[in-house]
Amino acid sequence: MKSKNAMTAIGVKEFICMIQGAIRKVKEEHALLSRLDAAIGDGDHGVTMLRAMNLSEKAVAADKSSDLQGLLYNLGWTLLGIDGGSTGPLLGTWFLGMSEFAGNRQVLDVQTLAATFEAGLAAVMKQTKAQVGDKTMIDALLPAVEALKTGAAANHGIAETLRAAANAAHQGALSTKGFKARFGKAKFAGERTVGHQDPGATSISLMFQGFAEGLADQ
């Protein structure tokens, strides 16, 4: 019997565990997200993410599609409609991009898992001009996807690759302390945002930590 570290493929059940892990992680840390946002914005990011995760939890529980594309599609549309700035639309776009790539696949190996997340990133990049260094969710999302691609190229196990992605997202979120915000409400604070960690990047970091933990716990 292979260990979880050597897991070479996952199905819908495992992906649901990943999503549930992300939901738990963000819900546990939503107060931190609001504190980070209060330093450079209006302080409501944690509340927005908590609402997003509560709705995601309901969407996963109510999902009857029994396939990966349907699960991701339903999640995407659930998140797309959340108010609170760009958070909901961008998260929704992320999952919708993943859904489109997933297509009829019911099983993902490490290569197609990385490609699924890469498709989600590509969809987000069509909706924002933000790049790494602009103090946004992209500072965590892009490094995480790059880590997934690196793990896939080396044919590493899925659990190991997700942990690497979580670490890359965490480091990306931490790096935003050195950047000046160029997007969202935070951009109006200008230089005052330097020294503060971006809440959007932190949310993505928490989600990737949750993905890795959710898969490990299933």
Side-chain angles (χ1 to χ4, degrees):
M1 181 176 174
K2 289 185 176 181
S3 71
K4 289 178 181 177
N5 283 340
M7 189 182 298
T8 58
I10 61 171
V12 179
K13 184 186 80 168
E14 290 80 14
F15 211 103
I16 288 174
C17 290
M18 287 168 53
I19 292 168
Q20 289 172 332
I23 290 169
R24 285 194 300 272
K25 197 69 177 178
V26 173
K27 288 173 73 171
E28 287 170 2
E29 301 291 349
H30 76 277
L32 166 66
L33 298 175
S34 285
R35 288 197 300 273
L36 293 175
D37 195 32
I40 63 174
D42 52 18
D44 68 348
H45 184 69
V47 174
T48 299
M49 286 301 296
L50 181 60
R51 186 164 61 248
M53 294 303 102
N54 283 334
L55 289 172
S56 296
E57 194 168 36
K58 290 179 181 177
V60 171
D63 184 68
K64 305 300 182 188
S65 60
S66 299
D67 70 270
L68 189 58
Q69 183 178 46
L71 172 71
L72 294 169
Y73 181 85
N74 291 336
L75 261 179
W77 277 104
T78 295
L79 292 166
L80 208 61
I82 294 171
D83 56 6
S86 62
T87 299
L90 290 176
L91 286 177
T93 297
W94 184 31
F95 280 100
L96 287 174
M98 287 195 273
S99 170
E100 187 172 347
F101 178 84
N104 294 325
R105 294 179 177 88
Q106 297 304 309
V107 176
L108 300 176
D109 59 17
V110 68
Q111 287 79 22
T112 47
L113 178 67
T116 299
F117 276 98
E118 187 176 16
L121 170 64
V124 171
M125 296 301 285
K126 289 179 182 177
Q127 300 298 319
T128 179
K129 294 180 180 179
Q131 301 291 327
V132 168
D134 287 336
K135 208 180 186 86
T136 71
M137 65 184 285
I138 299 301
D139 288 299
L141 182 55
L142 194 148
V145 171
E146 288 300 315
L148 288 173
K149 290 166 62 180
T150 298
N155 207 32
H156 289 160
I158 289 177
E160 177 186 355
T161 300
L162 275 177
R163 287 196 301 271
N167 183 61
H170 176 64
Q171 295 302 319
L174 290 178
S175 75
T176 63
K177 293 179 181 179
F179 305 148
K180 180 174 75 173
R182 294 188 173 87
F183 287 84
K185 294 176 182 176
K187 72 179 179 183
F188 298 111
E191 294 293 341
R192 289 192 294 109
T193 62
V194 177
H196 298 285
Q197 188 168 320
D198 181 67
T202 305
S203 287
I204 294 298
S205 170
L206 291 171
M207 290 185 75
F208 272 97
Q209 288 178 53
F211 289 149
E213 291 174 5
L215 185 63
D217 292 342
Q218 64 87 36

